[in-house]
């Protein structure tokens, strides 16, 4: 039987801007394509009406390729801008998959949630690889454009913050950095105060008859996740049957894969920053590498890590 799953498209910003940029395009179908290919004799269409083409109208790459504006004379600024934009898009793609994983867990659709995990992992692997490119920026190369960043920092990325929040690393202080932006703040506040993917997984364990402490099932979701020995006991119960037939065990391992890859991403950011900046202060007002060190020690889904000592 084929299960019909509805997708969830998360909103992280007032959609008005996005909608104002959409251009209507004619849709196609197999019949139209077959008749076109007869006319073109198999060669691609190369003449278009007006001053644009359907690919640009569909993807708006004219906009995408117009936002890597170099503000310095530094050679390395271009790769920094391009990879930063790639990363923001990757955060967006990953957030979409994670929100859908969460919706499927909430709907008791464990198989559906598991189906999305490999893509999240692949996106994280891709993000990790961006440090291969960024760490080709030398301290000298970075210094040539660093001042033009002013006090801008990746730490101010609302897309990244949504990824952290859906996974469960809540921080009201970091969320409030977006409070001044009326197009962004309502969605940020909603993400801060809503259960995370992990919170929904714990609710799922409870529905499946595994004892989860009540304080893990109903709490102030905006608060940082408090590690709970009762949740560790719940996972130990799940992990007592480490077989492919146990879907909760598979879900626990899929979440661990994600947390593992995320920690590696953070580690690579941290090491690359030390390589490029040394121990200079960050542009965003933090101590730089010293501030990032704390985040390196954070693990998503903490009891999935701590319970391993008992296995
Ligand atoms: C390649 C040069 C880079 C350097 C030297 C660098 C440096 C830093 C530093 C020092 C911080 C601490 C906050 C502050 O700015 O004071 C930080 C945070 C951060 N950076 Fe970068 N960064 C670089 C590239 C990137 C890129 C390309 C992205 C992604 C678009 C990014 C995303 C972030 C995020 C999301 C944080 C906050 C981390 C968190 O909240 O856990 N960084 N970075």
């Amino acid at each position: 039987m084929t299960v019909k799953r509805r997708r969830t498209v998360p909103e992280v910003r007032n959609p008005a801007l996005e909608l104002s940029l959409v251009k209507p395009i004619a849709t196609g179908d197999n019949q139209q394509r077959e008749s076109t290919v007869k006319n073109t004799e198999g060669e691609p269409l190369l003449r278009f009406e007006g001053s644009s083409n359907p690919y640009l109208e569909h993807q708006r790459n004219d906009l995408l390729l117009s936002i890597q504006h170099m503000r310095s004379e530094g050679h390395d600024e271009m790769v920094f801008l391009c990879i930063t934009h790639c990363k923001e898009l990757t955060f967006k793609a990953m957030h979409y998959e994670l929100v859908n994983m969460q919706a499927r867990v909430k709907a008791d659709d464990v198989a559906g949630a598991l189906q999305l995990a490999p893509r999240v992992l692949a996106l994280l692997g891709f993000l990790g690889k961006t440090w291969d490119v960024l760490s080709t920026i030398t301290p000298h190369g970075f210094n040539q454009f660093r001042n033009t960043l002013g006090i801008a920092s990746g730490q101010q990325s609302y897309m990244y913050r949504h990824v952290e929040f859906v996974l469960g690393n809540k921080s009201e202080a970091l969320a409030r950095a977006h409070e001044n932006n009326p197009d962004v703040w309502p969605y940020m506040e909603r993400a801060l105060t809503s259960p995370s993917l992990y919170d929904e997984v714990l609710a799922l364990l409870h529905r499946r008859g595994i004892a989860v402490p009540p304080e893990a099932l109903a709490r102030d979701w905006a608060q940082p996740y408090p590690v709970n020995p009762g949740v560790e006991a719940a996972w130990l119960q799940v992990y007592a049957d480490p077989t492919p037939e146990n879907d909760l065990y598979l879900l626990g391992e899929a979440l661990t894969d994600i947390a593992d890859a995320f920690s590696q991403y953070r580690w690579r950011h941290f090491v690359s920053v030390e390589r490029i900046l040394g121990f200079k202060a960050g542009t965003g007002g933090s101590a730089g590498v010293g501030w990032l060190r704390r985040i390196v020690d954070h693990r998503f889904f903490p009891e999935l890590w701590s319970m391993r000592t008992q296995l």
Side-chain angles (χ1 to χ4, degrees):
M1 189 186 73
T2 316
V3 183
K4 187 105 179 82
R5 297 184 169 98
R6 285 162 59 92
R7 71 178 184 191
T8 305
V9 184
E11 283 189 337
V12 295
R13 194 196 178 283
N14 174 355
L17 175 63
E18 180 176 320
L19 293 174
S20 74
L21 299 172
V22 176
K23 292 203 178 174
I25 61 163
T27 55
D29 59 30
N30 280 338
Q31 205 182 3
Q32 161 264 319
R33 284 184 286 271
E34 285 307 320
S35 111
T36 304
V37 86
K38 278 193 192 112
N39 291 334
T40 64
E41 297 175 345
E43 295 300 317
L45 294 163
L46 295 174
R47 291 275 174 272
F48 306 101
E49 302 206 337
S51 55
S52 180
N53 73 42
Y55 176 66
L56 281 189
E57 305 288 288
H58 182 261
Q59 299 278 339
R60 294 312 312 268
N61 288 329
D62 49 343
L63 298 177
L64 185 65
L65 297 172
S66 302
I67 50 174
Q68 292 76 34
H69 178 66
M70 309 251 275
R71 293 169 191 262
S72 76
E73 295 299 313
H75 176 94
D76 292 356
E77 190 178 2
M78 181 58 89
V79 78
F80 175 79
L81 292 168
C82 290
I83 300 293
T84 301
H85 286 139
C86 289
K87 289 179 66 172
E88 285 288 333
L89 287 174
T90 313
F91 297 152
K92 180 170 181 168
M94 200 163 68
H95 180 249
Y96 170 79
E97 301 300 343
L98 289 168
V99 165
N100 278 276
M101 257 186 103
Q102 179 175 17
R104 291 180 186 191
V105 166
K106 199 171 171 182
D108 294 306
D109 178 11
V110 179
L114 284 171
Q115 193 184 24
L116 302 180
R119 182 173 298 156
V120 174
L121 259 192
L123 288 166
L124 274 167
F126 178 66
L127 273 176
K129 284 285 206 187
T130 62
W131 296 115
D132 290 350
V133 180
L134 288 168
S135 59
T136 63
I137 302 178
T138 61
H140 293 97
F142 195 60
N143 284 342
Q144 283 176 359
F145 67 88
R146 189 173 194 221
N147 287 346
T148 63
L149 297 173
I151 54 169
S153 160
Q155 188 269 320
Q156 295 150 15
S157 162
Y158 65 79
M159 204 59 254
Y160 179 79
R161 202 58 55 210
H162 274 282
V163 173
E164 287 265 5
F165 283 3
V166 71
L167 285 168
N169 186 22
K170 300 290 184 69
S171 159
E172 186 173 343
L174 292 176
R176 287 203 181 277
H178 304 280
E179 206 175 5
N180 64 325
N181 187 336
D183 289 329
V184 167
W185 172 243
Y187 307 99
M188 183 60 67
E189 189 180 26
R190 192 167 65 199
L192 175 72
T193 54
S194 307
S196 70
L197 167 62
Y198 192 52
D199 297 320
E200 291 296 355
V201 168
L202 299 184
L204 169 77
L205 297 192
H206 177 69
R207 290 196 296 280
R208 294 278 293 267
I210 312 247
V212 173
E215 67 275 16
L217 297 170
R219 60 185 183 86
D220 178 356
W221 307 116
Q223 293 306 311
Y225 179 80
V227 175
N228 190 322
V231 172
E232 185 176 310
W235 280 118
L236 281 169
Q237 199 181 328
V238 170
Y239 273 63
D241 175 20
T243 62
E245 290 71 37
N246 180 359
D247 60 352
L248 295 180
Y249 166 71
L250 297 182
L251 186 60
E253 283 300 279
L255 292 178
T256 309
D257 285 342
I258 292 169
D260 184 338
F262 210 105
S263 288
Q264 294 189 45
Y265 167 76
R266 284 181 174 143
W267 174 251
R268 291 217 59 191
H269 182 214
F270 170 72
V271 174
S272 304
V273 171
E274 185 172 341
R275 177 174 176 160
I276 297 170
L277 276 192
F279 291 87
K280 291 198 271 288
T283 47
S286 85
V289 92
W291 185 79
L292 286 171
R293 184 181 290 279
R294 287 180 307 140
I295 289 137
V296 164
D297 287 337
H298 175 268
R299 294 282 176 278
F300 289 109
F301 328 130
E303 294 87 356
L304 276 168
W305 294 91
S306 59
M307 61 106 190
R308 279 160 208 272
T309 314
Q310 316 291 329
L311 294 179

